[in-house]
Amino acid sequence: MNVLHLARHTFFLKARAARLPGFHVCVGSGGERLLPEWYSEKGISLILSTEIVKADLASKTLVSAAGESFKYQTLVIATGSTVLNLSDFGVQGADSKNIFYLREIDDADNLVEALKAKKNGKAVVVGGGYIGLELSAVLRLNNIEVNMVYPEPWCMPRLFTEGIAAFYEGYYQNKGVNIIKGTVATGFDAHPNKEVKAVKLKDGRVLDADIVVVGVGARPLTTLFKGQVEEEKGGIKTDAFFKTSVPDVYAVGDVATFPMKMYNDIRRVEHVDHSRKSAEQAVKAIFASEQGKSIDEYDYLPYFYSRSFDLSWQFYGDNVGETVLFGDADPNSATHKFGTYWIKDGKIIGAFLESGSPEENKAIAKVAKVQPVASLDQLAQEGIGFASKI
């Protein structure tokens, strides 16, 4: 399953740029380290270094790049997403060396080597989402000069309100990150050895760069199954058990578009938490089907989180409706504990908290799940105290 989102784990690239002995996404949720021996002990055939280039769902057959055929009874599609590459948009010079996209562990390894080679150098981070924010922090921790460039009016606009974003932009600027908003990278200049040396912006500016990190989004990997399975909203459409429109075929993680029971709509979620939980749901559904039993429908509470510098935030629920900002959101403050509630139809449907305790983070999760009635004035006055008493 392609759910490895390296910017989610900035410890990998912290000041000493330590090389991890291995990376196991399930460990983060209390699971085991999935070494090759683990699979053999569980009776699972682990086939590595094998690319599937053709999938025939009608005959239940997969074909590898080497021409080997694999027959299946039940198929779980966990192809994940792939990064959007600036070369896809015809950006001039986007194939230069030292332009990095973070998705796989090899990407992080390559960036670590570049950091060693370009000590005290200059970096341009293209994008103001998860990758942009977390990697800008990592680069500064490695004493790299950073310009972060994005076209939106504030960082992470798909989740953050303007008020939330103002804190992080101010905080990052205090840490030495230069933020350039409202423009995009349109080209790159390179040295004779093909290493990037400058980033051209649409507004005419040119930024010196020894390293460029690009985080401009991803797209689900559905190509193998085009025309064979129903799709919706860019992903493979499933039911609440992650069954697709084709019998005995399931889809999980980034690639699945599924019913979001809480909000009575259909969504696709790119996040490691959902990838783990959707995989568990699909496996439970497969076993239940074999035994003639049933299981509960998938009832997912959206959850996102981030850690950078000495910051750590969590968000639960849905970010639509009216909002109220509470707490100390001054980026210059010695303390920086604040949050936001989203209110729709008089009920709290989403909650965000920066620098919360484990108990407070559990409280905002419960509020987003329970959706209690509340007023903006009440929430502004009580802040995290409201969630803590639910």
Side-chain angles (χ1 to χ4, degrees):
M1 182 184 302
N2 183 8
V3 297
L4 182 57
H5 186 174
L6 265 295
R8 309 278 343 103
H9 302 278
T10 53
F11 60 80
F12 188 93
L13 297 167
K14 287 258 174 104
R16 290 189 297 276
R19 173 70 171 92
L20 295 180
F23 194 94
H24 308 272
V25 295
C26 293
V27 171
S29 59
E32 301 173 71
R33 294 183 67 208
L34 307 185
L35 298 169
E37 309 88 78
W38 183 93
Y39 290 91
S40 60
E41 290 168 1
K42 304 294 184 183
I44 300 169
S45 297
L46 177 63
I47 304 171
L48 303 176
S49 303
T50 301
E51 180 186 5
I52 298 299
V53 296
K54 182 180 178 182
D56 187 335
L57 302 185
S59 66
K60 295 189 171 184
T61 304
L62 308 175
V63 180
S64 74
E68 186 177 4
S69 292
F70 299 88
K71 299 289 287 188
Y72 66 84
Q73 290 180 319
T74 303
L75 176 66
V76 179
I77 299 171
T79 46
S81 297
T82 186
V83 295
L84 293 175
N85 194 304
L86 293 179
S87 299
D88 299 336
F89 303 101
V91 176
Q92 173 265 329
D95 58 347
S96 301
K97 295 179 181 178
N98 288 345
I99 298 179
F100 298 96
Y101 300 81
L102 290 191
R103 192 72 186 182
E104 309 291 343
I105 200 164
D106 287 345
D107 299 331
D109 284 336
N110 294 334
L111 180 54
V112 166
E113 292 306 310
L115 290 175
K116 292 176 181 176
K118 304 295 182 181
K119 289 183 178 179
N120 303 314
K122 297 180 178 180
V124 173
V125 175
V126 179
Y130 275 112
I131 293 286
L133 287 168
E134 295 193 352
L135 264 295
S136 290
V138 168
L139 291 165
R140 287 300 299 136
L141 290 171
N142 280 276
N143 298 315
I144 300 292
E145 184 180 315
V146 179
N147 284 296
M148 181 165 59
V149 180
Y150 49 90
E152 297 89 357
W154 60 78
C155 63
M156 210 175 298
R158 287 194 298 174
L159 175 59
F160 287 178
T161 64
E162 185 175 5
I164 293 173
F167 167 82
Y168 293 100
E169 290 174 352
Y171 190 93
Y172 272 58
Q173 287 168 338
N174 289 343
K175 291 289 187 180
V177 177
N178 182 42
I179 295 176
I180 301 172
K181 299 186 279 189
T183 191
V184 296
T186 57
F188 301 90
D189 289 332
H191 296 286
N193 66 358
K194 303 297 184 181
E195 287 188 357
V196 67
K197 70 174 182 180
V199 181
K200 301 175 184 176
L201 303 185
K202 188 175 182 179
D203 64 10
R205 278 181 280 186
V206 178
L207 306 175
D208 292 338
D210 302 301
I211 295 170
V212 175
V213 179
V214 181
V216 293
R219 63 170 175 266
L221 286 167
T222 61
T223 307
L224 280 172
F225 313 100
K226 287 289 183 184
Q228 302 183 74
V229 64
E230 188 175 351
E231 296 186 36
E232 188 164 338
K233 294 186 176 180
I236 295 173
K237 186 178 180 180
T238 75
D239 63 12
F241 310 100
F242 294 96
K243 297 178 185 176
T244 72
S245 59
V246 178
D248 303 316
V249 176
Y250 296 72
V252 300
D254 291 9
V255 78
T257 301
F258 64 98
M260 185 74 79
K261 186 175 181 180
M262 287 191 66
Y263 310 119
N264 194 33
D265 63 5
I266 294 177
R267 300 188 185 183
R268 193 177 64 81
V269 175
E270 292 181 11
H271 196 263
V272 65
D273 179 67
H274 162 67
S275 293
R276 294 176 185 135
K277 291 176 180 176
S278 60
E280 291 174 4
Q281 175 76 351
V283 170
K284 289 176 182 176
I286 292 167
F287 276 100
S289 178
E290 291 176 350
Q291 298 165 1
K293 299 179 180 179
S294 61
I295 63 171
D296 292 335
E297 293 183 341
Y298 191 59
D299 190 8
Y300 184 66
L301 174 66
Y303 164 55
F304 300 96
Y305 67 91
S306 178
R307 304 184 190 99
S308 57
F309 293 121
D310 63 340
L311 305 174
S312 176
W313 60 258
Q314 294 191 15
F315 168 84
Y316 294 89
D318 207 7
N319 61 330
V320 296
E322 297 182 281
T323 62
V324 58
L325 183 69
F326 62 85
D328 182 2
D330 181 355
N332 301 307
S333 175
T335 60
H336 37 256
K337 187 171 184 175
F338 70 95
T340 293
Y341 293 109
W342 281 260
I343 309 294
K344 184 179 179 183
D345 299 328
K347 297 179 179 180
I348 298 176
I349 62 166
F352 171 98
L353 186 62
E354 167 62 50
S355 299
S357 66
E359 294 75 21
E360 289 168 336
N361 287 328
K362 288 179 181 178
I364 64 168
K366 185 174 182 180
V367 158
K369 184 73 173 179
V370 175
Q371 298 185 356
V373 173
S375 70
L376 293 174
D377 289 341
Q378 180 184 14
L379 295 174
Q381 182 178 358
E382 297 187 27
I384 187 60
F386 181 91
S388 297
K389 70 182 181 181
I390 297 299

